[in-house]
Amino acid sequence: MNSLLPETARRTAAWCVVVLLVTGVAAVGVWLCIVFQSAVTPVLLALLGTALLGPVHGWLVRRKVNRALASALTCVALVAVVGGTGYVVVAALIDTGDQIVSSLSDAGDWIKEHFGIDQAADLGSAADSAKSLISKWGASAFSGVIAGISILASLLATSVLALLLMFFFLKDSDRAAGLAQTIAPGRLGETLEAMGRRAFEAVEGFMRGTTIIALIDAVCITVGLLILRVPGAVGLGALVFVTAYIPYLGATLSGAVAVLVALADRGWVIGLWTLGVILAVQQLEGNVLQPMIQSRHVQMHPAMVMLAITMGASVAGILGMLLAVPVLAAAFGIIGELRNPYGSEGPAPAELSSDPGSDS
């Protein structure tokens, strides 16, 4: 039978079988993640938190703090920072929310008047539509309250579970290598350990770099908006920081909102200045910050990032968009390990994270 097919056809058929098998395994993996989303989501969030706060835990361990206590203090610090940031963001948006909505409404009217775009009426009537929805909501208030409580309870449970998992991930990070050897003794266990280490390092670098870049972007844009006296500058800056965790798409959306607010409240001159500030910050990010901070860990082509964000949104909505790029970074880390194993670079460190301490 083989003699009936040329060598090229047999090779092509073999590669097709491999591609089909890999695609099938990936599809099953995605399906399992969707089915067990309530368990997978806290694990991914905990891993992201561990990657971001691993250095804090390592610093405490190096100061001879018990690993369990260091993990608990790190989790408490995370809750304090997230809670404080959330309070500042919510307070800023509440204080300037009416101003921003009014400016967006005026921006829609301005676009409709100067460009004759009827669709801009949707933007201009955003506040009226919101008020109309709120008035109609009274008819189904009870069901709405029940649904809201259910969503809030689900988010709270996910957050608590993710926080507990992060505690254990930090506390037992020094045992990750042993776990890989337990699952698959011998050479296979070493390979799994190295792949896991590469994936974690890629996610770690992405989270730290994104946080630093988001903070710099938010501060620069907020200062620029304050100088231009754009209403709601602090709230818009907070929006820039939050959306920065969705690469490319988040910066575009938050920048468009800032320009529309400036255009409506201060006129087209200030609107153009605002656009210039945002473009300058984005150029600083793309040409200086990204190469300096992110390139040392993992380099991802923008097309791959946008594709990952689209796939994440189709699978899990906004949460999928937030988790898509870290998952892609982990995949790039694994590919990097397969192409350039740790063994060719010298011995790997003993822990998954940067913690040098041991269980006390």
Side-chain angles (χ1 to χ4, degrees):
M1 184 68 179
N2 288 339
S3 60
L4 298 178
L5 296 175
E7 179 68 17
T8 303
R10 291 200 298 270
R11 289 179 179 272
T12 303
W15 276 109
C16 289
V17 171
V18 171
V19 170
L20 288 174
L21 288 175
V22 172
T23 304
V25 171
V28 172
V30 172
W31 178 76
L32 289 174
C33 289
I34 295 174
V35 171
F36 299 104
Q37 183 177 358
S38 58
V40 173
T41 300
V43 171
L44 292 178
L45 292 176
L47 287 174
L48 294 183
T50 303
L52 182 61
L53 296 177
V56 177
H57 181 264
W59 182 84
L60 291 173
V61 170
R62 287 192 295 272
R63 298 301 182 276
K64 307 302 181 182
V65 179
N66 179 277
R67 291 187 67 89
L69 179 58
S71 302
L73 292 175
T74 304
C75 292
V76 170
L78 175 64
V79 172
V81 171
V82 171
T85 303
Y87 174 79
V88 171
V89 170
V90 171
L93 292 178
I94 289 176
D95 292 340
T96 61
D98 293 339
Q99 224 173 355
I100 292 176
V101 170
S102 177
S103 298
L104 287 174
S105 178
D106 294 340
D109 296 338
W110 186 89
I111 293 174
K112 182 180 178 181
E113 177 183 353
H114 288 78
F115 297 97
I117 302 177
D118 293 337
Q119 287 78 2
D122 297 335
L123 178 64
S125 60
D128 296 335
S129 299
K131 293 178 181 178
S132 176
L133 287 175
I134 292 174
S135 63
K136 293 179 181 179
W137 178 80
S140 56
F142 181 75
S143 61
V145 169
I146 296 299
I149 292 176
S150 176
I151 294 174
L152 184 62
S154 177
L155 290 175
L156 182 61
T158 299
S159 302
V160 172
L161 181 56
L163 191 65
L164 291 174
L165 289 173
M166 192 184 81
F167 168 80
F168 289 112
F169 288 166
L170 289 170
K171 176 178 175 294
D172 299 326
S173 59
D174 59 329
R175 302 176 183 175
L179 178 62
Q181 291 292 336
T182 301
I183 295 175
R187 182 64 180 173
L188 180 58
E190 295 176 359
T191 303
L192 290 177
E193 177 195 345
M195 292 172 63
R197 195 185 307 279
R198 287 276 193 177
F200 186 82
E201 287 177 353
V203 175
E204 192 177 41
F206 170 79
M207 289 299 297
R208 293 181 193 171
T210 301
T211 302
I212 294 172
I213 293 171
L215 183 61
I216 295 174
D217 286 356
V219 169
C220 292
I221 290 179
T222 301
V223 170
L225 295 179
L226 287 173
I227 293 174
L228 295 173
R229 291 183 295 172
V230 175
V234 176
L236 293 172
L239 181 64
V240 170
F241 179 81
V242 172
T243 57
Y245 285 92
I246 306 177
Y248 305 109
L249 182 61
T252 302
L253 293 177
S254 58
V257 171
V259 171
L260 288 174
V261 171
L263 182 68
D265 191 82
R266 301 298 312 281
W268 66 271
V269 175
I270 299 299
L272 290 177
W273 273 105
T274 303
L275 178 62
V277 169
I278 292 173
L279 291 178
V281 172
Q282 291 181 353
Q283 288 297 314
L284 173 67
E285 173 189 339
N287 297 322
V288 179
L289 298 180
Q290 287 279 0
M292 285 179 53
I293 298 174
Q294 295 282 38
S295 61
R296 292 178 300 172
H297 303 280
V298 59
Q299 291 181 329
M300 296 176 288
H301 194 278
M304 294 291 295
V305 173
M306 294 301 298
L307 182 61
I309 292 173
T310 303
M311 296 174 62
S314 64
V315 171
I318 296 177
L319 185 61
M321 296 172 68
L322 294 174
L323 295 176
V325 182
V327 171
L328 180 64
F332 268 76
I334 294 174
I335 294 173
E337 163 58 23
L338 294 175
R339 294 179 59 186
N340 188 17
Y342 261 113
S344 63
E345 300 176 1
E351 297 184 13
L352 179 63
S353 70
S354 57
D355 309 347
S358 58
D359 224 344
S360 301

